[in-house]
Amino acid sequence: MWAALNAVFVSADVFNLYVTLELLTLTAVPLVALAGGAAVAAGLRYLLAAVLAALFYLLGVALLYGASGTLDIGQLGATLEPGPPAWAAIALITVALLLKSALFPLHGWLPPAHAAAPAPVSALLSALVVNASFYLLARLWFTAFSGVLVPAAGTLVGLLAAGAIGWGSWQALRAERLKLLVAWSTVAQLGTLFLLFPLAATAPELAWQGAIVQALAHALAKAALFLAAGSVLLALGHDRLGSLAGMAQHLPLTALTIALAGVSLMGLPPSGGFVAKWLLLQAALAGGQWPWAVVIVTTIERQTRTHPMRARHAHPDALSVQAKLTALNLPFMRENYQPLAHTAADKHWSHVDYFTELLAGEAAAREDRRVQRCILQARFPVLKTIDQFDWNWPTKINRPQVQNLFHLDFVAKRANVVFISGVGLGKSHLMT
């Protein structure tokens, strides 16, 4: 992937650029599918979109060669003349690169791929891969195609960019998972980036400065967000926004990373995102393009509403349970304490029965017999605490009270059961 990205930036021939884009696709798609499950379907969708874009691009290259007799980018700018062949070639190449860049309404492959891929892969895709296609389109439009394009073409791309900002922000607002929210945010941020095309017609210097800063700020912030989302997923076993209340108490550095990256994406000062949007706004005002100025201003408002730190419909203790059980190195309890609560409600278990099953399952999940003995010995202080604690519940568990089992975190704390596993030595100690 690194070699393909470098080749995209240094190639000076439109056919060689086709080869580098395909190399980039062939390295990105397998990385998306590494997570398995839904990531395989998302990777296949990404591959099909990339193949379709490649066909359009290659057909455009053939028309360019037929119209000008050269594929060198510098020579195309001097020899390409307006006419149906040239316009058709530019249209095909533009559509191909817009599809690879996932600009609205050609964005359908991006949110599933970025949300399902492993977090480091999502960071690479959002920070570098989609920006490579944007860079290539900007390079061709303002060098090889500059003498052939009409002003309406830039306006059309600007309208698509405005649609991307609105639709991506709306979908991010409706997302139920952190990684999916960040993926939809990429759609919106790419829309801001593509405002370069209409703004460069009247204020090229400011527009280019704003686009470059936007590309850099977005790459850094989005990579940080995806990596932070991966940390949340690793620590808690999920990234559901409805269960992330109180995350900052248990994952403070991750929460700080999300907050700072979100501030940049929203465009609040003194972040890089603010500098980029300020430069683009100045370009719109300097060129008298007031509609694009309105789009840029509303971009900040819309993306403020989709800040990743929001959490909806969350139980206040939901995250603390997940984080506590992770810290205690109790993976079975972390994954099963909620499903087992529903089983307890169906079978009318007592609370002592419920916690006994949890601890027995945790012991059975361990291969090291010393760890098993350690956990089984912990049953006595835990169950004693449960028996003595004033639960203020009826004797048996029922459905409306299942949510109160989130107090498992408090029970574990009261029992003061801490497991420390020596990974290499296989040693375990119980402190009560």
Side-chain angles (χ1 to χ4, degrees), residues 62 117 124 139 154 216 231 243 292 309 326 349 372 384 391 416 418:
L124 283 174
R139 183 181 176 189
L216 292 174
S231 297
S243 300
W292 305 124
M309 285 299 292
T326 300
W349 289 350
Q372 290 180 1
K384 182 179 179 181
W391 293 92
N416 195 22
V418 180

Side-chain angles (χ1 to χ4, degrees), residues 11-357:
S11 295
D13 180 284
V14 289
F15 181 78
N16 287 340
L17 288 172
Y18 162 77
V19 175
T20 60
L21 284 173
E22 292 315 292
L23 287 175
L24 192 58
T25 299
L26 292 175
T27 55
V29 170
L31 290 175
V32 170
L34 277 177
V40 176
L44 182 59
R45 180 184 296 184
Y46 179 15
L47 178 62
L48 293 176
V51 169
L52 181 61
L55 291 175
F56 280 15
Y57 186 94
L58 195 57
L59 182 57
V61 169
L63 290 174
L64 275 181
Y65 187 76
S68 63
T70 183
L71 295 177
D72 182 84
I73 293 177
Q75 293 181 11
L76 279 172
T79 60
L80 193 62
E81 297 181 357
W87 293 332
I90 292 172
L92 287 167
I93 291 175
T94 299
V95 170
L97 295 176
L98 292 181
L99 180 55
K100 283 185 174 288
S101 299
L103 183 66
F104 176 87
L106 305 175
H107 65 282
W109 63 267
L110 186 147
H114 288 204
V121 176
S122 300
L124 283 174
L125 293 177
S126 192
L128 296 175
V129 175
V130 293
N131 282 344
S133 300
F134 164 79
Y135 159 79
L136 181 53
L137 182 61
R139 183 181 176 189
L140 292 176
W141 265 50
F142 294 105
T143 55
F145 304 157
S146 58
V148 180
L149 290 169
V150 295
T155 303
L156 177 59
V157 174
L159 291 174
L160 297 180
I165 293 169
W167 184 248
S169 299
W170 171 248
Q171 291 296 325
L173 186 65
R174 297 176 64 245
E176 297 295 334
R177 292 176 46 229
L178 180 58
K179 283 192 70 179
L180 187 59
L181 183 153
V182 179
W184 277 110
S185 170
T186 299
V187 175
Q189 293 293 328
L190 286 172
T192 305
L193 195 58
F194 273 90
L195 289 177
L196 164 70
F197 291 88
L199 295 177
T202 54
E205 185 175 350
L206 285 171
W208 272 103
Q209 290 175 359
I212 292 172
V213 175
Q214 169 68 12
L216 292 174
H218 171 253
L220 295 174
K222 197 54 61 71
L225 268 179
F226 271 120
L227 293 175
S231 297
V232 171
L233 189 61
L234 180 64
L236 305 182
H238 71 87
D239 64 344
R240 295 185 300 275
L241 291 172
S243 300
L244 297 186
M247 183 184 69
Q249 299 175 12
H250 302 276
L251 301 170
L253 292 179
T254 300
L256 178 62
T257 301
I258 293 174
L260 292 177
V263 165
S264 181
L265 293 178
M266 287 187 293
L268 298 181
S271 65
F274 167 77
V275 174
K277 291 175 175 63
W278 179 253
L279 289 170
L280 292 173
L281 182 62
Q282 285 186 312
L285 297 177
Q289 301 196 56
W290 293 94
W292 305 124
V294 173
V295 170
I296 295 167
V297 171
T298 57
T299 297
I300 299 175
E301 188 273 336
R302 287 171 180 168
Q303 292 170 359
T304 301
R305 293 175 179 267
T306 60
H307 192 285
M309 285 299 292
R310 65 184 176 85
R312 305 190 302 273
H313 311 300
H315 190 286
D317 292 330
L319 178 81
S320 60
V321 177
Q322 296 278 0
K324 185 69 176 181
L325 294 177
T326 300
L328 293 174
N329 190 24
L330 300 172
F332 178 86
M333 293 176 70
R334 185 189 68 190
E335 298 298 328
N336 293 279
Y337 78 96
Q338 292 187 61
L340 198 60
H342 294 283
T343 302
D346 292 335
K347 297 184 177 181
H348 303 289
W349 289 350
S350 69
H351 304 103
V352 172
D353 294 335
Y354 167 75
F355 286 108
T356 299
E357 288 294 324

Side-chain angles (χ1 to χ4, degrees), residues 366-381:
R366 303 303 182 99
E367 295 182 359
D368 193 320
R369 291 187 177 275
R370 286 171 292 183
V371 178
Q372 290 180 1
R373 288 196 300 269
C374 210
I375 295 173
L376 291 174
Q377 291 171 6
R379 286 187 300 176
F380 300 106

